[in-house]
Amino acid sequence: MENLALIDSFSEFKDDKLIDRVTLMAILEDVFRNALKKKFGSDENFDIIINPDKGDMEIWRRRVIVADDDLDLENEEITLTEARKIEPDFEIGEEVSEEVKLIDLGRRAILALRQNLISKIHEHDNTNLYKQFKDLIGEIYTAEVHHVRPRVVILVDDDGNEIVLPKEKQIPSDFFRKGDNVRGIIENVELKGNKPQIIMSRTSDKFLEKLFEQEIPEVFDGLITVKKVVRIPGEKAKVAVDSYDDRIDPVGACVGMKGSRIHGIVRELGNENIDVINYTNNIQLYITRALSPAKVSSVKINEETKRAEVFLKLEEVSKAIGRGGHNIKLAGLLTGYELDVIREGAIAEEEDDVELTEFSDEIDGWIIDEFAKIGLDTARSILKQDVDDLVRRTDLEEETILDVMRILKEEFNS
């Protein structure tokens, strides 16, 4: 049949795009019927027989025989003289079936056919891809780094689908090379024109929740429930877990012996510090647990304002606030309460304590800010701290801390 190259290309599309036979036949018929409508004004009297597996097709045109003097011929009619060129014994009123060759449509129509076919198949492909990844939103997905750009990493999965990992969806410590396998969750699928753009995220709270499901069998089986996850990506996270079975220790099961179970998750997240706590409906106890590793003396809750005053001994304040304020911020997000730290301690000492800002002539402002980040804003609150602990919790050098302590001691010794 004419223009077999066009028919051959149908099979290529089928193989490349993995389109099932029924769908391909429907697309081909739609494309050819559109071409017939343009050529003849209607496609109602045409039969299209397609065999994409063999790479062939037939188009048959059905027309009723009319007299030669019928000058106003419709698409569905043929004159007796023309009909007898097909079969010499045809009579008026009979129906004639005649095969339409592709070449009869004209070269321009054939080129348009091919372009229309490509468009329809891409449209089908994109629709399926959109639906496929819409169903995967919130699930962990693995793909290979194809190209690294300043603001985005382009990934490709095993089926050749392109996935986008924007810079803001990457953990700050992430560093990727071409060929690396990357895990994240499918966060969104957006249509850019007619093409779906698949967005991956590694900073989403959902990613950590799904890692728990993937790495901890009891979570996967539903014996342990992840109630809530909050994160500062790459820095710190808090995960509240619960179990309906009193025989299971949810925290112990998630952490594992010597942290064996959670270690893989921590490594995946660029050594993100993960606190796992037992969930409870007792909000005071929940806040106390959320502020771990600090030991809370008591909690006073205001339900109307969703605020809570947390009373801590002076030495526990810096632990509760954490480096950069991360611990108290995440505890607030986990519990849903704004947490205010109230220091307890020796009243006499507090009365003669001095605000750190009073030393701004001798101590640089940025150093005072570093101490404030971990909840230390008075002279005595700093002097009670261990130097090594302050080095670990701040971005200050040991020499700087010792110098600050010397200045503060002079205040009380004078």
Side-chain angles (χ1 to χ4, degrees):
M1 143 165 226
E2 294 86 352
N3 213 325
L4 284 174
L6 178 63
I7 306 302
D8 290 341
S9 69
F10 299 162
S11 297
E12 291 171 19
F13 284 125
K14 179 176 180 292
D15 294 338
D16 290 346
K17 301 297 181 181
L18 301 175
I19 298 174
D20 63 89
R21 183 176 180 274
V22 174
T23 303
L24 180 64
M25 288 178 70
I27 291 173
L28 290 174
E29 182 163 349
D30 184 51
V31 167
F32 276 96
R33 287 202 175 278
N34 284 335
L36 292 171
K37 285 176 186 176
K38 286 184 180 180
K39 176 74 174 177
F40 300 103
S42 170
D43 67 322
E44 291 181 4
N45 60 317
F46 287 88
D47 296 317
I48 299 176
I49 304 166
I50 302 170
N51 189 338
D53 295 328
K54 291 183 179 179
D56 61 20
M57 63 167 290
E58 296 175 1
I59 302 173
W60 291 87
R61 184 184 188 187
R62 290 176 283 102
R63 289 183 289 178
V64 176
I65 302 171
V66 296
D68 289 345
D69 57 1
D70 191 342
L71 301 178
D72 191 17
L73 285 179
E74 300 289 337
N75 170 43
E76 298 86 359
E77 296 174 333
I78 184 174
T79 63
L80 180 61
T81 301
E82 289 299 316
R84 284 180 171 171
K85 289 179 182 177
I86 301 169
E87 289 287 344
D89 54 354
F90 273 137
E91 297 295 340
I92 292 174
E94 291 183 330
E95 186 177 82
V96 176
S97 287
E98 181 184 17
E99 187 174 0
V100 177
K101 306 294 185 181
L102 278 181
I103 198 168
D104 296 338
L105 300 178
R107 186 173 179 278
R108 187 171 295 178
I110 291 172
L111 291 174
L113 268 171
R114 179 176 173 80
Q115 191 58 47
N116 197 10
L117 175 67
I118 292 169
S119 175
K120 290 277 185 184
I121 288 183
H122 282 317
E123 184 181 319
H124 169 271
D125 200 37
N126 288 336
T127 300
N128 279 1
L129 190 64
Y130 182 81
K131 288 178 181 176
Q132 176 192 341
F133 279 91
K134 266 290 185 184
D135 291 339
L136 289 174
I137 287 177
E139 298 295 330
I140 284 185
Y141 205 76
T142 303
E144 185 178 295
V145 175
H146 180 67
H147 192 69
V148 179
R149 296 175 184 164
R151 300 298 306 164
V152 70
V153 173
I154 306 299
L155 311 168
V156 175
D157 67 10
D158 291 341
D159 295 325
N161 299 315
E162 189 177 282
I163 297 162
V164 175
L165 177 60
K167 185 72 175 176
E168 63 272 17
K169 306 292 183 185
Q170 299 170 29
I171 296 168
S173 60
D174 280 344
F175 178 76
F176 303 116
R177 292 187 180 90
K178 185 177 173 63
D180 287 348
N181 281 324
V182 178
R183 274 200 298 180
I185 64 155
I186 301 301
E187 187 175 70
N188 199 11
V189 184
E190 302 171 354
L191 279 174
K192 298 289 185 181
N194 288 325
K195 187 177 180 183
Q197 185 178 68
I198 305 154
I199 312 293
M200 180 184 278
S201 173
R202 285 172 52 78
T203 58
S204 168
D205 296 343
K206 192 75 175 176
F207 182 38
L208 178 50
E209 182 182 336
K210 286 295 179 178
L211 284 172
F212 265 67
E213 284 184 20
Q214 199 170 81
E215 302 293 334
I216 300 165
E218 290 86 346
V219 176
F220 180 81
D221 293 336
L223 297 173
I224 294 173
T225 305
V226 176
K227 301 293 283 189
K228 190 164 184 180
V229 175
V230 290
R231 295 175 66 195
I232 299 172
E235 293 287 344
K236 192 173 180 66
K238 287 185 181 286
V239 182
V241 294
D242 195 14
S243 176
Y244 65 85
D245 190 336
D246 293 338
R247 295 170 298 177
I248 295 175
D249 170 19
V251 172
C254 290
V255 174
M257 290 286 290
K258 296 182 180 179
S260 58
R261 283 186 162 185
I262 207 165
H263 180 68
I265 299 174
V266 170
R267 191 170 59 245
E268 174 69 54
L269 300 180
N271 293 323
E272 193 169 301
N273 188 332
I274 302 173
D275 291 343
V276 185
I277 68 166
N278 279 313
Y279 176 81
T280 175
N281 289 320
N282 182 331
I283 193 61
Q284 290 185 324
L285 180 56
Y286 193 30
I287 290 172
T288 299
R289 290 173 177 174
L291 283 168
S292 174
K295 294 178 181 177
V296 177
S297 300
S298 62
V299 179
K300 184 179 177 182
I301 293 171
N302 186 326
E303 284 291 353
E304 288 185 8
T305 61
K306 284 291 180 180
R307 295 183 77 91
E309 292 182 340
V310 183
F311 295 85
L312 303 112
K313 290 180 180 178
L314 205 57
E315 61 270 21
E316 297 296 323
V317 171
S318 62
K319 296 177 188 174
I321 292 173
R323 181 171 181 173
H326 292 161
N327 198 59
I328 196 165
K329 179 181 178 181
L330 289 175
L333 290 171
L334 191 71
T335 60
Y337 283 76
E338 189 75 30
L339 305 180
D340 299 320
V341 169
I342 308 296
R343 296 178 179 83
E344 345 177 277
I347 301 299
E349 280 189 357
E350 289 185 6
E351 284 178 353
D352 71 348
D353 204 352
V354 182
E355 292 288 331
L356 201 56
T357 51
E358 296 293 321
F359 296 89
S360 56
D361 290 343
E362 299 172 88
I363 303 172
D364 290 341
W366 70 272
I367 296 175
I368 293 173
D369 290 341
E370 276 298 311
F371 285 116
K373 284 179 183 176
I374 61 169
L376 305 177
D377 53 12
T378 68
R380 289 194 184 278
S381 69
I382 291 173
L383 290 174
K384 287 193 170 192
Q385 303 299 316
D386 179 74
V387 174
D388 290 339
D389 187 51
L390 289 175
V391 170
R392 182 173 62 82
R393 290 179 172 274
T394 68
D395 285 330
L396 299 172
E397 300 288 339
E398 182 178 350
E399 184 180 347
T400 304
I401 292 168
L402 289 171
D403 193 41
V404 169
M405 286 186 161
R406 176 186 58 75
I407 295 168
L408 300 180
K409 283 176 183 175
E410 287 176 359
E411 168 68 20
F412 296 108
N413 293 334
S414 57

